[in-house]
Amino acid sequence: MIKVEWLYWLVGLVFVVMAVQMAADRSNPKRWTSAAFWGLLGLAFPYGTGVANATAKNGGWTLPAEPLGIAVLALIVLAGFNFLGKGVPVTSTVEEREASADRLGSTLFIPALTIPLVAIVCASVLDTSGLFETGKATLLGLGVGCLVALVVGMLVTGERKLSVPLHSGRSMLEAMGSALLLPQLLAVLGSIFALAGVGTQVGKIVHDVLPDHSKYLAVLAYCVGMFLFTVIMGNAFAAFPVMTAAIGWPVLVERMHGNPPAVLAIGMLAGFSGTLCTPMAANYNIVPATLLELKDQYGPIKAQIPTALPLLACSTVIMALFAF
């Protein structure tokens, strides 16, 4: 059986290999601290397995959590004090890439399309085969799809050296920087908020403020709350457990007998409208601006606000009219 932990270890190994490349890249003025950041992150993946084993008491090797916590603090310091830098990418010239693109044409899309195709096959066909860990076929399929796409990409382009895609991946990693980790950190933040009872306290405040049986005000509070918490936390998935525990489930579903799938799905859509308006959603709004070298890094947000606000209004109206 292929376990999901193996995929995590592979991801960690890729980070470690790229950290070694960064350390050897003298064109990067911050090569040692950059290598330390990504190397620590890579080592955290297999180490985290030992911590998880110790926490869940499910056998296997066990490791104390304290060193992992220290590593996380080190990552925060390295990223927070701007110790990450960029090197000169080891790649072909612009002319060579343009000539290759003209030669390959639409076949360049084959590797990208391979990933979802393999993931779908693994999730739908191999899920019950016993090949993958139970309940993890989709995630493992995504990992297998990436590996297959790597091979397909090298065959399509005629590349024979594995170091070339690794160097290209490292360049992308350096361009994205620590913002690459923000979605994961924000998702964890949402879980922490939920465990800390933030949703319960917000629910108490809403219960005291909202008049009884005020369905429309409750819908407005839930949708606007999803929007605002997403703007603050940068991720609708992080805002969802907080606002759903506060308003979505206890007020709209249990007290006002709303249709749970409709209430929760439309509430998530209201949260997504907040994603369009916040720099905290760095992977969605800031990283693309960086990769495209836009003059205004907040340009995507400014362009998306005219779409986000009507989307929030429509979500609120749709929930009020059709979710009950």
Side-chain angles (χ1 to χ4, degrees), residues 10 46 54 66 80 94 96 98 129 150 158 164 192 205 267 301 309 311:
L10 178 61
E66 289 78 6
V94 175
E96 290 173 337
E98 289 178 349
S129 65
L150 173 61
V164 172
I192 292 173
I205 295 173
I301 296 176
L309 297 181
L311 177 62

Side-chain angles (χ1 to χ4, degrees), residues 292-303:
L292 295 173
E293 298 180 350
L294 300 181
K295 294 181 179 180
D296 183 1
Q297 66 172 340
Y298 300 113
I301 296 176
K302 295 176 182 178

Side-chain angles (χ1 to χ4, degrees), residues 27-53:
S27 66
N28 185 349
K30 302 176 181 179
R31 59 181 178 134
W32 294 114
T33 48
S34 296
F37 180 90
W38 296 109
L40 278 174
L41 179 63
L43 293 174
F45 280 80
Y47 192 93
T49 299
V51 175
N53 289 339

Side-chain angles (χ1 to χ4, degrees), residues 59-73:
W61 80 83
T62 59
L63 296 169
E66 289 78 6
L68 188 59
I70 293 173
V72 171
L73 294 176

Side-chain angles (χ1 to χ4, degrees), residues 232-250:
I232 294 170
M233 303 173 75
N235 192 316
F237 292 100
F240 183 77
V242 176
M243 292 308 301
T244 300
I247 305 174
W249 191 264

Side-chain angles (χ1 to χ4, degrees), residues 182 186 230 233-235 275-276 278-287:
L182 193 57
L186 292 172
T230 301
M233 303 173 75
N235 192 316
T275 303
L276 300 173
T278 176
M280 291 296 289
N283 62 312
Y284 193 86
N285 296 325
I286 302 302
V287 169

Side-chain angles (χ1 to χ4, degrees), residues 173-237:
L173 199 66
E174 290 177 336
M176 296 177 69
S178 58
L180 177 70
L181 305 182
L182 193 57
Q184 291 79 12
L185 296 176
L186 292 172
V188 172
L189 180 62
S191 300
I192 292 173
F193 274 28
L195 291 173
V198 174
T200 302
Q201 296 304 317
V202 173
K204 291 180 179 178
I205 295 173
V206 172
H207 183 271
D208 294 338
V209 172
L210 285 178
D212 292 337
H213 307 295
S214 53
K215 179 181 70 174
Y216 296 122
L217 287 178
V219 168
L220 181 64
Y222 182 47
C223 291
V224 173
M226 279 293 299
F227 175 85
L228 293 176
F229 264 79
T230 301
V231 169
I232 294 170
M233 303 173 75
N235 192 316
F237 292 100

